[in-house]
Amino acid sequence: MKNIVSPSFSRRSFIRTSALAGGGMLIGFNLFQACKPEATPPVDISQLNFNDFNAFIKIADNGMVTIFSPNPEIGQGVKTSMPMLIAEELDVLWENVHVVQGALDTKNFTRQVAGGSQSIRHGWEPLRQTGATAKQMLINAAAAKWGVDASECKTNNGVITNSKGEKLGYGEVVKEAANLQVPENVTLKDPKDFKIIGTDAYNVDIDKIITGKPLFGLDYKEDNMLIASVLRPPAFGKKLVDFDDTAAKAISGVNDVVKFGDKIAVLAKDTWTAMQGKKALNANWTSDSKLESTEEHNKILTDLLNGKEFKTLRADGDVKKAFAGADQVIERTYESPFLPHNCMEPMNFFADVTAEKVRLVGPIQTPARTASRVAELLERDVKDVSVEMTRMGGGFGRRLYGDFALEAAEISNLAKKPVKVVYSREDDMSAGIYRPSIKYKISASIKDGQITGYHLKEASVNTNMYGLIPNFFPAGAIENYQVDVAAYDSNITTGAWRAPYTNFLSFAEQSFFDELAEILEIDRIKLRLDLLQKVKGTTDERIQYSPERLEEVIKVAVEKSGWGNAKEGVFQGFSAYYCHNTHVAEVADVVLENDTPVVKKVTCVVDCGIVVNPLGARNQIEGGVIDGIGHAMYGDFSFKDGEPIDKNFNTYRLIRINETPVIETHFIENDIAPTGLGEPTLPPAGAAIANAIKAAKGIRLYKQPFVKHMKAKAPLG
């Protein structure tokens, strides 16, 4: 790993000042590879406000350090782990670090996004450069004060020492450091010297979370703020004809009723009154298009799979020829339902629209995109739109879209008052942006006991979904390989759901490989490892996974889980998958209780490169596995005449605490830069469970949720 790094930023974009209240030095820095080096700091740096930059370090005279975390925090832990990277290279004690959420800054930074499990991966080197550059400036200041060469000085936990044994704390030289030139080159630590990276760190917000201090969007309030509860069309495809708000306005505490588009907002001083006002509205609706039902979706997807209108994403060799010359062709179809996101914190957002500015505050995964959309909606200059980010009670892709923020901005603009839109759980589930219903058809040709062809077809609701990943396993491992996609447009809104592309595809493919192994009468682990051997040494730059790294997680999972040596009555299922730049293998242990499969344990092996915060990483891994199990086993969401059937947890089934298994986590230790972790352990979970259920019950599952479809199947033997 290279340790000498030339900063990828211009000196003008590296901001430092000692003119802070109480003294100290403020250091700002373009954090990401996609930064804008031409960005110019304010002319009068002494007037810097903490909201002017989305990520910087403040070093006080007493040596205490404040690090501003730039990215949205949705529970994935970046508000803790990203500052850890800076603190490591700055060489300070973690207990002397205070972390503050940064605000949106589109002028100087890009990718202030929580999505795709990419925050740490993109910030790994730039964030460390931030800390290392600040440290070198402090060293240079101390060296000048002592009259020695900077190379004679070392740092340790916020203290600089020279060869004579003299010491100075960071706080004693911050003023001098602020006046020095930014170093041309900085030295990054060798991983073996890490003191903070790789150690357990508690969530920086944990005390506030467990004591109920305000952190989340639902906590945010201002003295003159009104709460808006919005009545939306009751079904996808319906439009507002007219409404009567007499009864709503008669409720004590209701301040106003505002129509915008096909929606009606009731404004009140508190949430309860606003929601009661919404219930009192009398609205009439008409259908402007066909009202869709789940049965119709299933038929359309089946017709798509059997049709000819496909877009080919990758085609190696000649699949048709391989199938024509095969001894046997195996074909299976896999089906998944729509799924809501069901974040613990329902959607909400604050907006204060005035003639001078648009101020937005709330839980959002895409603050820059949201600011741009609000500016377009209100026909304002995006420079007049500010976004302050609160902590989020879950995102899972739902908070990528910002429709709730646009609602708040539009209502505030019409009402001429600061407004916070608050969804009820019913609002959250019936006005969602759902994981689309998808069907996969997977076919494989077998000749002389070998897999000679592989054809994967996807039929999905809506073309705005991301489609398949054509360059993941088994791409490159099978000579004749083809991936096709087809979709139809629905007025039911769909989009990213935790681990897009792969959350259901992993189950389909990994279940299919298990079944292929049975048909070929070979060991299922050997089948996968043999295929990986064919990818090693490939020159195909399209291949995104590492066969060596995937092979290692498989072998370690086999070892750690006791694969093949389970106790009597324990049935095991295996799955391995690559997504979000991370390689994962999982083994599920299932037992039968009253002839019902119960997941008791999941062994999870992860290669995500260097683990920044093992405590947070384990939490992410466990959460992903549990989420994957829960939705594969129970998640079911249907529509009738364009309206969601389930609107709250009394009918929509989530995994329960007594159904969560023991999760045993193992990391592959290496010095490779970190990769994603918020999503990669979810996709393999479904297949591991399904394969274990096959071992336990003799039932091969092709549809989710498993519990529903197990009841409709008889054991296969």
Side-chain angles (χ1 to χ4, degrees):
M1 177 180 292
K2 270 188 176 180
N3 287 338
I4 304 298
V5 179
S6 295
S8 59
F9 50 88
S10 69
R11 284 181 174 177
R12 295 178 69 193
S13 67
F14 197 102
I15 304 118
R16 68 247 192 258
T17 179
S18 60
L20 294 173
M25 177 170 67
L26 182 67
I27 296 176
F29 173 47
N30 284 347
L31 289 180
F32 298 110
Q33 303 289 352
C35 63
K36 302 175 182 177
E38 72 280 4
T40 305
V43 175
D44 185 3
I45 280 182
S46 67
Q47 299 304 310
L48 273 177
N49 181 289
F50 284 162
N51 289 328
D52 288 338
F53 291 87
N54 75 343
F56 44 74
I57 307 165
K58 175 186 174 184
I59 302 174
D61 288 345
N62 63 0
M64 296 299 291
V65 177
T66 299
I67 297 177
F68 287 72
S69 184
N71 279 29
E73 173 60 71
I74 54 176
Q76 81 280 43
V78 295
K79 191 176 176 183
T80 303
S81 53
M82 293 182 92
M84 286 175 72
L85 302 181
I86 297 174
E88 178 66 73
E89 297 292 348
L90 185 59
D91 199 4
V92 292
L93 289 169
W94 181 244
E95 53 262 38
N96 290 342
V97 172
H98 176 57
V99 178
V100 176
Q101 177 66 59
L104 173 66
D105 173 19
T106 56
K107 181 179 179 182
N108 295 294
F109 305 104
T110 61
R111 210 188 183 282
Q112 275 185 278
V113 175
S117 299
Q118 297 297 299
S119 295
I120 293 298
R121 179 170 175 258
H122 280 274
W124 171 247
E125 200 165 273
L127 285 164
R128 291 168 62 211
Q129 288 177 7
T130 307
T133 302
K135 180 180 72 176
Q136 190 60 53
M137 292 170 70
L138 293 161
I139 289 173
N140 293 347
K145 200 167 189 177
W146 285 320
V148 301
D149 192 275
S151 63
E152 299 179 25
C153 303
K154 297 180 179 179
T155 64
N156 183 44
N157 297 335
V159 177
I160 307 162
T161 307
N162 63 24
S163 57
K164 300 177 182 177
E166 296 173 303
K167 296 181 179 181
L168 286 170
Y170 284 179
E172 298 177 81
V173 293
V174 289
K175 292 181 180 178
E176 292 84 353
N179 296 316
L180 297 180
Q181 289 290 320
V182 176
E184 289 290 346
N185 296 294
V186 293
T187 302
L188 298 185
K189 287 184 179 181
D190 189 290
K192 66 179 176 57
D193 297 322
F194 287 160
K195 294 186 288 186
I196 294 175
I197 295 174
T199 62
D200 290 343
Y202 289 113
N203 187 316
V204 294
D205 286 334
I206 193 63
D207 288 341
K208 291 181 179 179
I209 291 172
I210 63 178
T211 57
K213 298 292 192 304
L215 275 174
F216 299 90
L218 283 176
D219 297 325
Y220 187 80
K221 61 179 65 176
E222 294 190 1
D223 290 341
N224 58 345
M225 176 183 81
L226 294 177
I227 300 294
S229 184
V230 179
L231 181 66
R232 302 172 183 85
F236 289 92
K238 286 195 172 184
K239 298 290 184 181
L240 180 65
V241 177
D242 54 41
F243 69 99
D244 183 351
D245 60 8
T246 304
K249 287 183 174 179
I251 294 175
S252 177
V254 169
N255 183 283
D256 200 359
V257 176
V258 176
K259 175 187 176 296
F260 61 111
D262 288 301
K263 305 172 185 178
I264 311 160
V266 176
L267 279 60
K269 276 290 186 182
D270 61 84
T271 304
W272 175 256
T273 303
M275 289 183 173
Q276 293 306 110
K278 182 183 73 171
K279 290 179 181 178
L281 290 170
N282 184 8
N284 295 308
W285 311 88
T286 188
S287 301
D288 71 337
S289 61
K290 185 177 181 180
L291 301 178
E292 303 170 25
S293 296
T294 295
E295 292 76 13
E296 294 171 303
H297 290 144
N298 287 335
K299 183 180 184 304
I300 293 170
L301 290 178
T302 298
D303 291 343
L304 276 176
L305 273 185
N306 296 325
K308 297 181 179 179
E309 298 298 320
F310 281 89
K311 177 182 179 181
T312 298
L313 300 183
R314 177 168 175 151
D316 299 345
D318 190 331
V319 167
K320 288 185 179 179
K321 184 177 180 180
F323 282 25
D327 298 328
Q328 186 178 9
V329 174
I330 310 302
E331 181 180 285
R332 299 290 185 265
T333 299
Y334 301 84
E335 302 179 14
S336 70
F338 289 93
L339 285 181
H341 292 82
N342 282 326
C343 304
M344 183 176 292
E345 177 192 22
M347 300 304 107
N348 65 89
F349 222 79
F350 170 86
D352 186 7
V353 180
T354 65
E356 295 76 28
K357 64 180 181 179
V358 178
R359 183 165 164 260
L360 306 173
V361 184
I364 186 68
Q365 292 179 241
T366 51
R369 171 64 177 146
T370 299
S372 176
R373 292 179 66 200
V374 167
E376 182 180 0
L377 173 70
L378 301 181
E379 298 182 342
R380 302 284 290 266
D381 192 322
V382 72
K383 294 178 181 178
D384 296 332
V385 181
S386 66
V387 181
E388 299 168 40
M389 292 174 278
T390 64
R391 192 178 181 95
M392 288 173 257
F396 313 118
R398 177 63 182 92
R399 287 188 159 98
L400 290 170
Y401 297 98
D403 48 298
F404 40 89
L406 269 69
E407 287 182 344
E410 190 168 5
I411 296 167
S412 177
N413 186 53
L414 292 169
K416 308 302 178 187
K417 296 180 179 71
V419 168
K420 184 167 78 169
V421 167
V422 177
Y423 282 42
S424 66
R425 178 58 62 190
E426 289 82 1
D427 293 333
D428 204 57
M429 291 185 69
S430 60
I433 295 178
Y434 310 97
R435 185 188 82 170
S437 178
I438 294 178
K439 290 190 179 184
Y440 293 121
K441 181 184 286 185
I442 308 179
S443 307
S445 57
I446 298 172
K447 179 71 173 178
D448 298 329
Q450 299 294 316
I451 302 171
T452 58
Y454 188 91
H455 193 185
L456 174 60
K457 290 183 176 182
E458 175 193 85
S460 173
V461 174
N462 286 332
T463 56
N464 67 339
M465 189 47 192
Y466 298 84
L468 295 169
I469 299 294
N471 301 314
F472 287 6
F473 181 82
I478 300 171
E479 182 179 359
N480 303 293
Y481 172 81
Q482 186 166 323
V483 175
D484 295 329
V485 296
Y488 84 94
D489 293 334
S490 167
N491 52 32
I492 294 174
T493 51
T494 61
W497 189 92
R498 190 176 187 178
Y501 333 110
T502 59
N503 51 58
F504 179 68
L505 176 60
S506 175
F507 153 69
E509 290 197 303
Q510 287 293 300
S511 295
F512 186 73
F513 276 110
D514 246 43
E515 190 165 359
L516 280 181
E518 290 176 359
I519 292 168
L520 291 168
E521 296 182 341
I522 63 174
D523 180 81
R524 61 207 69 214
I525 305 298
K526 184 177 186 303
L527 173 65
R528 291 168 170 88
L529 293 178
D530 286 349
L531 288 171
L532 288 173
Q533 301 311 307
K534 299 178 181 181
V535 193
K536 290 182 178 179
T538 182
T539 57
D540 186 347
E541 295 183 355
R542 295 173 297 172
I543 301 297
Q544 296 182 30
Y545 64 95
S546 163
E548 293 82 6
R549 296 175 76 176
L550 192 53
E551 177 184 58
E552 186 172 12
V553 296
I554 289 173
K555 289 181 176 179
V556 174
V558 166
E559 174 196 347
K560 298 296 184 181
S561 66
W563 176 262
N565 297 300
K567 295 179 181 179
E568 185 177 354
V570 176
F571 303 91
Q572 293 187 307
F574 179 84
S575 175
Y577 208 71
Y578 164 89
C579 66
H580 299 87
N581 311 103
T582 293
H583 302 76
V584 177
E586 296 180 17
V587 174
D589 290 1
V590 165
V591 300
L592 294 177
E593 295 181 359
N594 297 321
D595 204 38
T596 300
V598 176
V599 185
K600 287 294 187 180
K601 179 183 175 182
V602 174
T603 303
C604 185
V605 179
V606 179
D607 183 349
C608 59
I610 294 171
V611 180
V612 177
N613 179 7
L615 177 61
R618 287 190 293 271
N619 289 337
Q620 286 298 295
I621 288 167
E622 292 176 9
V625 172
I626 292 169
D627 202 6
I629 293 170
H631 284 94
M633 290 286 284
Y634 311 110
D636 195 15
F637 197 73
S638 300
F639 292 85
K640 183 174 177 58
D641 296 329
E643 184 174 357
I645 294 174
D646 299 305
K647 297 180 181 178
N648 211 319
F649 297 144
N650 61 321
T651 57
Y652 183 78
R653 180 79 155 84
L654 288 169
I655 192 170
R656 294 164 184 157
I657 193 165
N658 64 310
E659 295 164 338
T660 59
V662 171
I663 299 171
E664 184 181 289
T665 299
H666 302 275
F667 293 105
I668 301 296
E669 295 185 7
N670 55 46
D671 288 342
I672 301 172
T675 53
L677 204 52
E679 296 164 287
T681 63
L682 183 149
I689 301 306
N691 291 333
I693 290 172
K694 172 57 171 65
K697 296 276 291 179
I699 297 173
R700 179 63 69 182
L701 295 164
Y702 301 98
K703 300 178 182 181
Q704 291 184 359
F706 299 155
V707 167
K708 174 181 178 180
H709 295 291
M710 275 192 290
K711 294 177 181 178
K713 296 178 72 74
L716 302 178

